[in-house]
Amino acid sequence: MGGWAIAVHGGAGVDPILPNERQEEATRLLTRCLDIGISALRSNLSAIDVVELVVRELETDPLFNSGRGSALTEKGTVEMEASIMDGPKRRCGAVSGLTTVKNPISLARLVMDKTPHSYLGFAGAEEFARKQGVELVDNEYFITEDNVGMLKLAKEANSILFDYRIPTLTTCGGGAAMENQLQMNGLPISLYAPETVGCVVVDKQGHCAAATSTGGLMNKMTGRIGDSPLIGSGTYACDLVAVSCTGEGEAIIRSTLAREVAAVMEYKGLNLHEAVDYVIKTRLDEGKAGLIAVSKNGEVACGFNTTGMFRGCATEDGFLEVGVW
Amino acid sequence: MGWAIAVHGGAGDIPLSLPPEKRLPREAALRRCLDVGIAALKAHNHPLDVVELVVRELENNPHFNAGKGSVLTTSGTVEMEACIMDGKTMKCGAVSGVSTVVNAISLARLVMDKTPHIYLAFDGAEAFAREQGLETVEMSHFITPENIERLKQAQEADRVQLDYTQPIQKEVPKDAALADGDSQIGTVGCVAVDSEGNLATATSTGGIVNKMVGRIGDTPIIGAGTYANHLCAVSATGRGEAIIRGTIARDVAAVMEFKGLSLKEAAAYAMDRVPRGNAGLIAVSSTGEVAMLFNTTGMFRACATEDGYSEFSIWDSPTE
């Protein structure tokens, strides 16, 4: 045991009829990000630097729901949020309501490192970004054609579109059944939709860190904040473990999912895998979500109660896996 | 079993020499709010309604750092936040960056009841408030002369001030225990349980004096400043950044569940996760127990239980 470990995710809840080409794109991106993280770890970068680096890569790529490629609000704009946490002293930084910051995760890092606060949102966060001289772009930069199309569909369905709609496995016949199928956050049908991203790392010193970034829920109300920037819900790291979650934001918040993994390890003495299993099985009720986690001992685990989760993980002793289902 | 209720008006470095003209109005307000809560519980109102009602009262009182009387951002503006949670259903609502809504806690309640979301902030929250027809006013309504003065002092000292703090050295590391205080004003909260074991919590605040515009504290973060489940309901107050890192409210419930601790033991355990001088909390359990703990100089607090126990305190209480 011991040694570094890393996991990345591009969202929980995958449409089983997702086109192959899309699966391949996702797998390639996850592999690339994993490689970036692995190189960084081999170069002795600390966990906190690695998670930021990897999530920046995921934000910049338009494939998943973060940074460029973010889901759109009801107004057709992008409002991004992110959080980062450094296990050793449980330092953290979070941002919400970003509209021009190219890499939200880096701004979250700056909140952690350069302010007396832990969380900045909206105009105040943007102002801070300006003062820090981080790269700013027009809101249009983040908007992709795919997402414009998705928003339109979501409005037509007059419901909030979750990242990936998940078909429930119940087989029912008839039109009414359609309502029950392919649902996450009460949403119908499948098309591919972008996903929250995250990365967790334990470095050679046994220090854990976690980072999560997202554009949030498609067609969300302006000003809606989900689980990704909330410490204890979408992101958490302490001495023992680092966790990043994805899925139905409201369910993740109610179950304080990320903190839960650490809490059962701390308070019930479960190991990483037991903790992840326990939390996914018992804490989500009707909610749909997934998470990735690493422990200070160099273990890595992921769990999800959705049909799939875009993920990749690797450990120093040579384990490497990228998966969708 | 039986109902129980606790309210707080903020934890911090409340000097023992707090002059009567600063202490008495807050005492009176807290007692009155507790009475409002007790009457509501006796009338069999659901704890969720009770905590909202009590916190509305506290928000309307200019002596506390919530609603009217909220502390000011570095720009001299008001950005309020609030959070409410139902222990039985685990439904919750939170708002941040609210500047014109008279009762932020009621807006949080509406987010919980009327949207598919949990948390709305800034312009989006304000727009939703208007859609819902909530009472809104000019921001100046919330600003008191005392708070203008507090901001001035904080800016002169060029530091971030907690609700209750003492003027200190220039560089304030995030976890610095607060020293001598001139600002005696606090976040508010209420937790309640009825005789059926239904639990609820509500917290509301203006944040910290001289905070950066857009700064969000622990209050609206589920698991940090506010949390309720089937075991207990918790509302925390103090240095937001420390409460967030310590996931204080969640941890009280977690150690009750995972380590079998009693409410009071759990509250003490959670408080250990926060450096001295940084926080306080109130909590009630499903069986009608109450805990009120703090590691600051004091915490404005009051509680009552159905079997006749009641308490009002600011500094250390012999029963803690």
Side-chain angles (χ1 to χ4, degrees), chain A residues 74-75 85 89-92 96 111-113 115-125 128 160 185 217 219-226 229-233 236 249-251 253-256 259-260 263-264 266-268 278 283 285, chain B residues 85 89-92 96 115-125 127-128 131 160 172 174-175 208 210-217 220-224 227 229 239-242 244-247 250-251 254-255 257-259 269 273:
Chain A
E74 62 184 356
K75 298 203 161 100
M85 191 161 186
K89 294 187 177 159
R90 285 177 287 133
R91 298 184 313 130
C92 45
S96 280
V111 171
M112 177 174 86
D113 289 343
T115 76
H117 302 320
S118 295
Y119 190 4
L120 287 184
F122 297 82
F128 174 63
I160 295 166
N185 253 18
L217 219 48
N219 201 26
K220 65 183 179 181
M221 290 171 75
T222 322
R224 178 263 189 181
I225 291 175
L230 303 187
I231 296 298
S233 289
Y236 189 75
E250 282 72 15
I253 293 173
R254 279 197 299 277
S255 60
T256 53
R259 172 67 186 124
E260 209 67 5
V264 299
E266 263 177 84
Y267 301 140
K268 273 171 81 90
Y278 177 85
R283 295 289 140 163
D285 290 335
Chain B
M85 189 161 186
T89 62
M90 305 286 285
K91 290 184 66 175
C92 38
S96 281
T115 75
H117 301 322
I118 283 178
Y119 191 2
L120 287 184
F122 294 89
D123 289 349
F128 176 62
E131 269 169 49
V160 158
V172 187
K174 284 187 205 190
D175 292 346
I208 53 181
N210 202 26
K211 65 182 180 179
M212 289 173 74
V213 168
R215 177 263 190 186
I216 292 172
I221 301 187
I222 298 292
Y227 186 77
N229 65 5
R239 181 144 215 114
E241 286 72 15
I244 291 173
R245 291 171 53 237
T247 53
R250 173 71 190 106
D251 272 40
V255 295
E257 181 173 355
F258 299 134
K259 290 172 89 77
Y269 195 100
R273 291 172 62 80

Side-chain angles (χ1 to χ4, degrees), chain A:
Chain A
M1 281 287 156
W4 57 256
I6 176 173
V8 302
H9 73 73
V14 187
D15 177 5
I17 60 169
L18 186 70
N20 276 337
E21 157 203 305
R22 177 78 178 190
Q23 289 186 51
E24 278 158 27
E25 266 188 285
T27 310
R28 272 198 301 273
L29 175 58
L30 289 166
T31 306
R32 197 177 85 235
C33 289
L34 211 55
D35 285 341
I36 287 171
I38 292 170
S39 288
L41 281 163
R42 289 187 176 140
S43 312
N44 282 324
L45 252 62
S46 64
I48 190 78
D49 289 332
V50 179
V51 297
E52 183 189 353
L53 188 63
V54 171
V55 171
R56 281 178 67 93
E57 194 64 31
L58 288 160
E59 284 171 340
T60 306
D61 194 294
L63 190 66
F64 292 131
N65 176 11
S66 68
R68 184 145 179 266
S70 279
L72 306 180
T73 68
E74 62 184 356
K75 298 203 161 100
T77 56
V78 161
E79 280 180 6
M80 301 167 288
E81 44 198 19
S83 64
I84 190 166
M85 191 161 186
D86 194 9
K89 294 187 177 159
R90 285 177 287 133
R91 298 184 313 130
C92 45
V95 288
S96 280
L98 299 186
T99 53
T100 68
V101 176
K102 184 150 182 275
N103 287 102
I105 197 64
S106 293
L107 192 67
R109 176 97 192 251
L110 286 170
V111 171
M112 177 174 86
D113 289 343
K114 299 280 168 78
T115 76
H117 302 320
S118 295
Y119 190 4
L120 287 184
F122 297 82
E126 289 272 320
E127 176 63 20
F128 174 63
R130 257 187 355 91
K131 291 200 169 125
Q132 290 291 312
V134 303
E135 194 177 351
L136 302 176
V137 293
D138 284 335
N139 200 247
E140 281 71 45
Y141 162 86
F142 303 103
I143 301 175
T144 58
E145 252 182 66
D146 269 359
N147 281 321
V148 171
M150 291 288 287
L151 181 64
K152 202 149 158 286
L153 282 172
K155 285 184 179 296
E156 279 159 18
N158 194 29
S159 41
I160 295 166
L161 194 69
F162 184 70
D163 293 343
Y164 265 93
R165 274 69 104 247
I166 307 165
T168 58
L169 297 175
T170 52
T171 49
C172 352
M178 273 307 283
E179 259 180 8
N180 289 330
Q181 285 182 1
L182 314 174
Q183 294 239 352
M184 240 169 108
N185 253 18
L187 277 210
I189 54 157
S190 63
L191 274 187
Y192 40 81
E195 279 284 30
T196 291
V197 302
C199 180
V200 293
V201 161
V202 55
D203 59 28
K204 292 184 192 177
Q205 281 69 46
H207 295 150
C208 302
T212 314
S213 180
T214 190
L217 219 48
M218 184 69 78
N219 201 26
K220 65 183 179 181
M221 290 171 75
T222 322
R224 178 263 189 181
I225 291 175
D227 65 288
S228 299
L230 303 187
I231 296 298
S233 289
T235 305
Y236 189 75
C238 61
D239 280 333
L240 290 179
V241 65
V243 186
S244 171
C245 305
T246 163
E248 292 178 319
E250 282 72 15
I252 294 169
I253 293 173
R254 279 197 299 277
S255 60
T256 53
L257 206 62
R259 172 67 186 124
E260 209 67 5
V261 174
V264 299
M265 289 176 75
E266 263 177 84
Y267 301 140
K268 273 171 81 90
L270 299 192
N271 68 35
L272 182 71
H273 291 275
E274 291 167 337
V276 171
D277 261 349
Y278 177 85
V279 164
I280 293 288
K281 287 199 170 91
T282 69
R283 295 289 140 163
L284 285 168
D285 290 335
E286 318 262 293
K288 297 287 186 209
L291 62 92
I292 52 174
V294 288
S295 74
K296 70 169 199 250
N297 298 325
E299 303 158 288
V300 67
C302 61
F304 49 96
N305 67 358
T306 51
T307 310
M309 181 168 77
F310 287 119
R311 68 211 179 267
C313 33
T315 63
E316 189 166 7
D317 58 17
F319 175 73
L320 189 134
E321 179 186 85
V322 174
V324 175
W325 311 109

